[in-house]
Amino acid sequence: MKKIVSLVIAAMMVLLVGVSFALAEAAQIQRVKYEGNGLVDVEFLRDVGYDNLTITVSDSLGNAYTTTIVERDDDDLTFRVDQIAAGEEYTFTISGVRSGRSGEYGSVTGTFSTPKEGQAGIETVEYEADDREVEIDFIGRVEFDMNCTVTVTDAMGNTYNAQIVKMDSDSLDAYVEGLNWGETYTVLVTGVRNVGQAEFGSVEWEFQAVEY
C-alpha cells in the first residue's frame, strides 16, 4: 500500500513539474501601444527572458516590414517598424522570448494599428471606478486646444459631461459621474490633434466601465 501511495505521489509531482514547465515557457502580452513614428511598445504580463530575439511585422496583405529593436527590459520591449502606412492594422511576432527564467523560448503574437493621416487616434480607454475617472491614452503624442472637451454617451444616447482633470503629451484623464459598472459607453474628445498637424479635430472610442 505504501508503495502504491509513493508511486501516486511521484506521478503527481512529475505532472506538476510538467505543468509548471509548460506555464513557464509561455510569455503573455499585457498591452501593446503604438507610440507614433513607427515605434511600438509591448508590455508583458510577467518578467520575460530573451534569446536570439527577432521581431517580424506584416500587414493584412502579408507584406513584411523591417524592424529594429530600440529597447528591451525584463517586462517591456520597444521596436521600430520602417515605412508603415497610416490607418492600417499590423500583426507582429516576437520570437526568442519566454516567461520568467525557466522553460523553452518561444514566440508570441500581437497586433497594433496606426491612426489615420492627420487624425489623433485613441489607443485605450480605462475606467477607474474609485476615482470616477476615464483614462484616455492616445496613439503617439498629441496637443490640445484651449476648448478641448470630453463627452461620454451611453447606448441610449444619454450624455454625461466630463471634467478634464489631467492632460499629458499622450493621455488625458476626465472625471465623469453616473456611469454604471459593466455598461458600454462612447467617449468623444474634441480639440485634439497629432503633434505637428495644423488642424484640431475630434476622436471617439467605445469602452466598457470596468477596471482592468
Side-chain angles (χ1 to χ4, degrees), residues 96-170:
V97 61
R98 70 181 179 189
S99 180
R101 303 189 178 207
S102 62
E104 297 180 358
Y105 291 95
S107 61
V108 61
T109 300
T111 61
F112 67 92
S113 298
T114 56
K116 294 181 180 179
E117 187 68 35
Q119 179 183 18
I122 292 177
E123 181 77 24
T124 58
V125 176
E126 296 186 3
Y127 176 62
E128 296 288 341
D130 292 341
D131 299 328
R132 298 180 184 178
E133 291 181 4
V134 290
E135 300 179 358
I136 304 166
D137 286 334
F138 296 94
I139 300 174
R141 296 172 58 220
V142 296
E143 296 173 333
F144 308 97
D145 72 6
M146 295 179 60
N147 298 316
C148 177
T149 62
V150 177
T151 305
V152 176
T153 307
D154 63 22
M156 302 298 294
N158 299 311
T159 300
Y160 304 78
N161 290 323
Q163 179 182 354
I164 298 172
V165 295
K166 183 181 179 182
M167 288 179 172
D168 283 324
S169 61
D170 62 355

Side-chain angles (χ1 to χ4, degrees), residues 21 156 177 180:
F21 183 83
M156 302 298 294
E177 288 188 347
N180 295 319

Side-chain angles (χ1 to χ4, degrees), residues 47-203:
D47 285 357
V48 297
Y50 307 100
D51 183 56
N52 296 322
L53 181 65
T54 60
I55 302 172
T56 58
V57 174
S58 61
D59 59 23
S60 59
L61 298 177
N63 299 312
Y65 294 80
T66 302
T67 63
T68 304
I69 298 171
V70 177
E71 185 178 4
R72 65 182 188 181
D73 205 341
D74 290 341
D75 60 354
D76 184 85
L77 172 68
T78 301
F79 61 92
R80 185 188 302 277
V81 190
D82 293 339
Q83 298 181 337
I84 54 176
E88 298 290 342
E89 181 174 289
Y90 297 88
T91 300
F92 66 87
T93 299
I94 302 172
S95 300
V97 61
R98 70 181 179 189
S99 180
R101 303 189 178 207
S102 62
E104 297 180 358
Y105 291 95
S107 61
V108 61
T109 300
T111 61
F112 67 92
S113 298
T114 56
K116 294 181 180 179
E117 187 68 35
Q119 179 183 18
I122 292 177
E123 181 77 24
T124 58
V125 176
E126 296 186 3
Y127 176 62
E128 296 288 341
D130 292 341
D131 299 328
R132 298 180 184 178
E133 291 181 4
V134 290
E135 300 179 358
I136 304 166
D137 286 334
F138 296 94
I139 300 174
R141 296 172 58 220
V142 296
E143 296 173 333
F144 308 97
D145 72 6
M146 295 179 60
N147 298 316
C148 177
T149 62
V150 177
T151 305
V152 176
T153 307
D154 63 22
M156 302 298 294
N158 299 311
T159 300
Y160 304 78
N161 290 323
Q163 179 182 354
I164 298 172
V165 295
K166 183 181 179 182
M167 288 179 172
D168 283 324
S169 61
D170 62 355
S171 65
L172 181 154
D173 296 353
Y175 177 82
V176 188
E177 288 188 347
L179 302 189
N180 295 319
W181 180 264
E183 292 190 7
T184 299
Y185 298 88
T186 299
V187 61
L188 173 67
V189 182
T190 64
V192 60
R193 68 183 179 189
N194 287 332
V195 171
Q197 294 296 323
E199 301 292 332
F200 289 98
S202 62
V203 60

